Amino acid sequence: MAVPLSFAGKVVLVTGAGGGLGREYALAFGERGASVVVNDLGGDIKGGGKSSSAADKVVEEIKAKGGKAVANYDSVEDGEKLIKAALDAFGRIGSCVIDLLLEQVTWTGVCADYDSNPKNPIIMHSLFLAKHCLNGFFFSDLIHRVHLRGSFIVTRAAWNHMKKQQFGRIIMTSSAAGIYGNFGQANYSAAKLGLLGLANTLAIEGQKYNIHCNTIAPTAGSRLTQTVMPPDLLKSLKAEYVAPLVLWLCHEQCQENGGLFEVGAGWIGKLRWERTLGSIVRHKDQHMTPEEVRDKWDQICDFTSATKPATIQESLHTLVEVLSKVEAGEGLRANPAHALASSTSGINPSDAIGKMLGEMTFSYTHMHCVLYALGVGLSTREPDHLKFLYEGHEDFSCLPTFGVIPAQASMLEGGLGSLPGLNFDPTKLLHGEQYLELYKPLPTSGTLTSKASVADILDKGSGALILLDIHTYSNHELVCYNQFSLFIVGAGGFGGKRSSERAVATVPPPNRAPDAVVTDETTRDQAALYRLSGDWNPLHIDPNFAALGGFKSPILHGLCSFGFAARHVLRQYADNDVSRFKSIKVRFVKPVLPGQAIQTLMWKEGNRIHFECKVKETGAVVLAGAYIDLHTASGAPTASAKTEGLQSDLVFAEIGRRIKDLGGELVKKVNAIFGWEITKGGKTAAQWTIDLKTGNGALHKGLYNGKTDVTFTVSDEDFMDVVVGKLNPQKAFFAGKLKVRGNIMLSQKLETILKDYAKL
């Protein structure tokens, strides 16, 4: 059974919570452990009046069920007062303050589409703008002040608190009237669509602070619609059919950000923008005329093979490309629509599937292996990295993921675009997924031969997906197999199949906390270094070229992130033993910028290690649905044998008991999370996390969510010498026996944790 979603320890502010949807949200959050601020001005449907009864009644309902709630009667235009009410009731500055903010000002609040005739209280105006002009549209002033400006003010008041605690969830409530427009609701529609624009920008600005903002457009019965909707329809549009979506979007497990959802009657759907491929209607050094627009109108409005831009960079990319085509004098002939829109001039699976690229040879030496290892972040700072960096090492090895390099050379130089049935614009080609399987450890030098073939072609609607299989041999012996999943934007719509049994599938990770998390910083020159292994795409080095691709700066190669993740898993679960590596599969989601840190979350399930990579600074997922399969270690020590005889285990067991007895007191004194890496024989033998920051404290075996404030690396023997007082921690640090990562000042609190253990 799935684990229920809990909001224990979270503070939720719901505006407009005295009735309808807002009331339903408040009750649902209260039932699941959240502390709820129930805000409602208590006005009527025209925006007049004020009463505390609506908010008070909801608070009473929450408390009657054992929940925690307070009422607030301020207008959303007084945003600071709302946030202060939450802080005064539940929060502490610098600790948990406002976690979730629901801007619930919808049809249950103020709506200005009623007629002045009391006999027709909710009749839409057929000539709204003409009838009300400025006076009517900006009774709109009330509409805009409450719906749009009020949401902005409340969010602004909560924003810095969310930034400080590195967590926040904001839900803006738009409506179908804002998305599609609605007769007689010009003022309301403008405000509601304005909320969507506000939410989209907040999603971008809040991403790096783990603040997510999403927008919903609910359809539900309310005190307004009950006068115009039949009872049966109202019964089907209960507010309780909307609340589950809101709760999921607000949960810390949910990574959705910048989404727009329609919801009602138990149905939920996500919306996105769609754009035609369009047409270039001018020539270089010539005037553009309305007649040319008229003549190309059908093509301009043709949504066949439409694109779906999701960012402003993606939106501008097409314009930049068009400008370059026009400047090149290619004019209409260069229209990307001509190259990509139709199967007759683009993708023809029957001609391409099964076709072979030219056989390619790849010769390399130990230098290429070392250069690749440096490109994926290995460093002489780490002793166990030396086996991949020094050709004179007794166990000199080639990283398993180097297997993509000869295959990539085959793909890039083999002329994929020259095959029959594959007429596409190479600037539209994206690397979607990657699979690599090794049949033996890669030699550290030699000559490899790769044979590539088109395994299948899928029609994904917005593009074509090419599955390219590449088998690589050494002296006619199969060494490795790669499958490149290549997506060609805009080349879909040729009527092909959407799935293939030839595709190696991605697999989602288990639904639990990761077993281990490793964070590794890339350098500013990471992409410049990685490209020396053969991927010379200027997107990764040239700022001007990156701008053409819609990026602010050059991005890291996806296969570089792939290499980082693979070595994290190999080190964590195979002691860097390359003979244990069997295969790896990943889906590329978003790029990393050189200088950002890559965080790899890992889940062990037998010999399969599921993993996911994120950008630490933004939380953006980089690699998803990923896993590495390992061979069972033949004769290698088991996990229990590796830690057998560690003296430090006894100390950590005692620390665990002390935390259970004195956890709250220790948390107050220390307020930090310590990571420990205990080594034996130069290799990591055990990992521990001492959490004296959360709740009443806890001890975890292994790394815990990667959220340590400081991490110590020390041998089992030296650790015991520190514990019993034979070795001063400072002397151990300066002698290189105790390595520290993170806030080194917290090492001063070690005495609080380790004192008196000499008596054990």
Side-chain angles (χ1 to χ4, degrees), residues 11-13 37 70 81-91 98:
V11 178
V12 185
L13 167 60
V37 179
V70 295
K81 292 182 179 180
L82 274 67
I83 302 305
K84 185 176 184 301
L87 292 172
D88 291 345
F90 303 118
I98 305 304

Side-chain angles (χ1 to χ4, degrees), residues 422-630:
L422 294 181
N423 178 21
F424 63 88
D425 181 351
T427 66
K428 296 289 187 178
L429 189 147
L430 303 174
H431 195 171
E433 297 180 4
Q434 182 68 32
Y435 178 75
L436 165 66
E437 183 171 356
L438 297 190
Y439 298 96
K440 59 182 294 186
L442 295 170
T444 55
S445 63
T447 298
L448 302 177
T449 302
S450 294
K451 300 177 181 179
S453 63
V454 178
D456 214 341
I457 301 176
L458 308 179
D459 186 348
K460 294 296 187 178
S462 61
L465 184 69
I466 300 175
L467 299 179
L468 186 68
D469 283 354
I470 303 179
H471 294 81
T472 301
Y473 302 84
S474 174
N475 296 324
H476 305 291
E477 181 182 5
L478 183 61
V479 175
C480 65
Y481 159 67
N482 279 270
Q483 184 177 88
F484 289 77
S485 299
L486 307 172
F487 188 78
I488 306 173
V489 178
F494 51 84
K497 59 185 180 180
R498 294 186 63 86
S499 60
S500 171
E501 60 183 17
R502 301 292 301 275
V504 180
T506 56
V507 181
N511 185 23
R512 56 181 169 84
D515 300 319
V517 179
V518 174
T519 302
D520 220 344
E521 290 185 358
T522 64
T523 69
R524 183 70 182 270
D525 298 317
Q526 202 72 59
L529 185 58
Y530 182 84
R531 68 191 300 268
L532 300 180
S533 289
D535 188 341
W536 302 100
N537 189 337
L539 175 67
H540 307 292
I541 191 75
D542 186 343
N544 294 324
F545 199 90
L548 288 175
F551 300 102
K552 295 179 180 179
S553 60
I555 61 174
L556 196 62
H557 306 70
L559 284 176
C560 183
S561 303
F562 170 91
F564 265 79
R567 66 175 182 78
H568 289 164
V569 174
L570 192 68
R571 186 186 195 190
Q572 182 74 26
Y573 290 106
D575 288 331
N576 283 333
D577 182 355
V578 297
S579 68
R580 293 197 58 198
F581 183 96
K582 181 183 178 183
S583 60
I584 178 174
K585 172 69 179 184
V586 308
R587 177 167 60 88
F588 301 104
V589 181
K590 288 187 178 180
V592 177
L593 298 180
Q596 291 181 324
I598 297 175
Q599 192 173 62
T600 304
L601 294 77
M602 293 169 266
W603 296 261
K604 189 177 188 303
E605 298 275 306
N607 282 340
R608 172 163 288 184
I609 313 300
H610 299 269
F611 68 91
E612 180 180 87
C613 287
K614 297 181 178 182
V615 175
K616 181 182 179 183
E617 291 82 354
T618 66
V621 175
V622 176
L623 304 178
Y627 62 85
I628 285 178
D629 286 336
L630 298 173

Side-chain angles (χ1 to χ4, degrees), residues 386-388 390 392-398 576-578 683:
L386 202 59
K387 66 179 288 186
F388 302 109
Y390 175 41
H393 193 280
E394 60 181 2
D395 193 24
F396 180 57
S397 304
C398 181
N576 283 333
D577 182 355
V578 297
K683 296 183 177 181

Side-chain angles (χ1 to χ4, degrees), residues 352-418:
I353 294 175
K355 291 295 188 294
M356 302 286 296
L357 276 69
E359 186 174 292
M360 299 292 297
T361 59
F362 179 83
S363 297
Y364 66 105
T365 68
H366 67 270
M367 180 189 71
H368 295 83
C369 298
V370 172
L371 191 61
Y372 174 81
L374 292 169
V376 296
L378 288 179
S379 168
T380 56
R381 292 191 302 269
E382 301 291 340
D384 60 338
H385 289 187
L386 202 59
K387 66 179 288 186
F388 302 109
L389 298 173
Y390 175 41
E391 70 283 0
H393 193 280
E394 60 181 2
D395 193 24
F396 180 57
S397 304
C398 181
L399 280 170
T401 48
F402 183 78
V404 301
I405 300 301
Q408 180 178 258
S410 175
M411 179 187 70
L412 295 176
E413 300 173 25
L416 179 64
S418 65

Side-chain angles (χ1 to χ4, degrees), residues 734-753:
F734 287 114
K737 295 182 177 182
L738 177 65
K739 297 179 181 178
V740 184
R741 300 194 306 273
N743 186 353
I744 193 172
M745 299 304 293
L746 290 173
S747 60
Q748 298 176 13
K749 298 188 177 183
L750 282 176
E751 183 182 358
T752 305
I753 303 171

